[in-house]
Amino acid sequence: MIVSLHVCTPPLWTHRLRRQDPPPLSFQLPSASLTKQGERFLFSLAVTRDPKTTSRLISKFVSSSTKHISLNTLSHLLSPHTTHPHLSSLALPLYSRISKESWFQWNPKLVAELVALLDKRGRHEEAEALIFETVSKLESRERELVLFYGNLMNAFCIHNSKRGFDDVFYRLSEFMSSSSSVYVRRQAYKSIVSGLCEMGRPEEAEKLMEEMTIKGLKPSSFEFRCVVFGYGRLGFFEEMERCVGKMKSEEVDTVCSNMILSCYGDHNEVSRMVLWLKKMKGSGIPFSIRTYNSVLNSCSSIMYLLQDTDLDGFPVSIEGLKESLSGDDELLVVEELVESSVLYEAMEWGSGEAKLDLHGMHLVSAYLVMLQWMEVMRCRFSDGKSPIPAEITVVCGSGKHSSVRGESPVKAMVKKMMIRTQSPLRIDRKNTGCFVAKGHVVRDWLT
């Protein structure tokens, strides 16, 4: 019987930015991981100074690459989190070459991201030309045009461009006042509220919501969440909680709660996180993997334990972790989380296979779930009622989506844990993202 421990690893968490520089409301993710072909292409561009050679390299790359590789590389250059900011000036010629391919489909979101990047780099004429081209293309299709402006506003917000934001704000305001379509007016209203909150102006967004309510356009849960998160990311918790009070009970769900928890965590309000977790439990709001991430990413004491390179640096049991957090608010956080059903949603158990899937869990979340998993496994093997699976899988990943390609913080943590506990689980030769062992051997180890 084989036990396979397979852990899909998200990037190593780093603390979110504080009040003076809040993260964007749109939850913009880091730039997409480049393919190896994309990496080689960008490296060749980096060492080239001749414009003609650069143009030839771009043409050769696009013509020899698949649609996925070409667009992945372009998206990487457009991202504000690109690891090649010195090459972002080549995004426009790359886009121009890609647009000539037979498989290319015009995408207003992609154009919006390119416009925002050009504007950020001071290439305003080129940015305006792309906007004019898009508006001309969509002029008779009002619904698509308002969605383009919404994408454009979001892109400007991500790049923190006040100039671009103000221009799109004006254009969307015209839709709100002149369009006869309720759909178009609502989309414009939705984009403006979201944009104001992303730019750190939730009071204006809330005022706009009140004005639109008077005009018969009632705010949805999306607008409320924007304002709630807009206040919360600035640390204005009284205003945030006041807005939560205006929402319907069914609107304050797991997604909304995770946003609130992340705001508390960004400002080290651990005690507030504990109270909100208790409120979630009392209201029957289920926890999720993101709940774990939102809360545990802000638990600096646990993070500090995991950053210790010494193999003896972190506890390998729930009780050991609780002892190390004695007298700390983070202990209360752990106690609330371990009583949830998140672990059971992440694991499967059967005579053929038992699997723990840590997919989507950040480092500290994966650590706590691993501790829970070992306890549950020990209980199931000890009671004699559960079958011994022929195979057990716990997923780790090999670092394809980590901040440093090929280096998986979760895998490294699991490996340390296995060494510390003298576990029989070993890295699978066929899949380096898995730890494997025979089922009855794991039973003997845990019992």
Side-chain angles (χ1 to χ4, degrees), residues 123-177:
R123 296 164 63 177
H124 304 305
E125 290 185 5
E126 291 169 304
E128 286 296 332
L130 277 174
I131 292 175
F132 179 78
E133 178 187 324
T134 302
V135 172
S136 300
K137 187 188 297 286
L138 302 177
E139 191 170 13
S140 61
R141 304 195 295 256
E142 193 180 40
R143 288 190 171 203
E144 293 180 47
L145 186 57
V146 76
L147 290 175
F148 166 70
Y149 279 129
N151 288 326
L152 191 56
M153 172 168 277
N154 183 61
F156 279 132
C157 288
I158 289 171
H159 286 285
N160 198 30
S161 170
K162 186 178 184 302
R163 174 185 177 279
F165 174 86
D166 289 342
D167 179 58
V168 180
F169 183 100
Y170 171 76
R171 301 190 193 205
L172 285 172
S173 296
E174 288 188 320
F175 279 110
M176 287 179 58
S177 60

Side-chain angles (χ1 to χ4, degrees), residues 224 228 237-249 251-252 256 260 276 279:
F224 269 118
V228 165
F237 297 130
E238 290 185 4
E239 290 86 348
M240 179 183 78
E241 290 159 6
R242 173 177 53 77
C243 286
V244 172
K246 292 182 179 180
M247 299 175 70
K248 298 177 182 178
S249 57
E251 293 177 327
V252 187
C256 182
I260 293 169
W276 191 264
K279 184 173 182 178

Side-chain angles (χ1 to χ4, degrees), residues 61-62 65-74 94 98 103:
F61 169 73
V62 174
S65 300
T66 64
K67 174 182 178 180
H68 167 73
I69 291 175
S70 296
L71 293 178
N72 169 269
T73 306
L74 176 60
L94 178 58
I98 287 175
W103 49 255

Side-chain angles (χ1 to χ4, degrees), residues 246-379:
K246 292 182 179 180
M247 299 175 70
K248 298 177 182 178
S249 57
E250 62 270 20
E251 293 177 327
V252 187
D253 56 8
T254 302
V255 174
C256 182
S257 293
N258 290 341
M259 295 170 71
I260 293 169
L261 288 168
S262 69
C263 291
Y264 288 145
D266 287 341
H267 296 274
N268 295 318
E269 295 285 348
V270 181
S271 58
R272 288 180 183 266
M273 288 198 298
V274 173
L275 292 176
W276 191 264
L277 288 171
K278 290 181 180 293
K279 184 173 182 178
M280 289 176 68
K281 186 185 298 182
S283 301
I285 301 173
F287 293 2
S288 67
I289 290 174
R290 183 161 288 181
T291 306
Y292 267 60
N293 292 341
S294 298
V295 173
L296 292 172
N297 284 337
S298 303
C299 290
S300 56
S301 296
I302 305 177
M303 181 66 76
Y304 178 78
L305 290 173
L306 294 177
Q307 289 175 341
D308 194 331
T309 56
D310 188 343
L311 286 178
D312 296 325
F314 59 86
V316 290
S317 69
I318 293 291
E319 289 306 313
L321 176 60
K322 288 181 178 180
E323 287 179 11
S324 69
L325 298 174
S326 180
D328 194 318
D329 282 339
E330 292 182 22
L331 170 61
L332 302 178
V333 168
V334 170
E335 289 177 342
E336 292 297 326
L337 292 178
V338 296
E339 294 179 3
S340 74
S341 62
V342 170
L343 168 66
Y344 299 99
E345 294 169 3
M347 66 181 290
E348 300 173 9
W349 189 282
S351 58
E353 180 186 36
K355 179 168 73 171
L356 174 66
D357 186 358
L358 301 181
H359 200 98
M361 297 185 191
H362 295 173
L363 180 62
V364 185
S365 300
Y367 167 62
L368 181 57
V369 169
M370 278 294 298
L371 297 183
Q372 292 180 258
W373 175 75
M374 288 194 293
E375 284 201 357
V376 169
M377 291 278 285
R378 182 177 291 107
C379 290

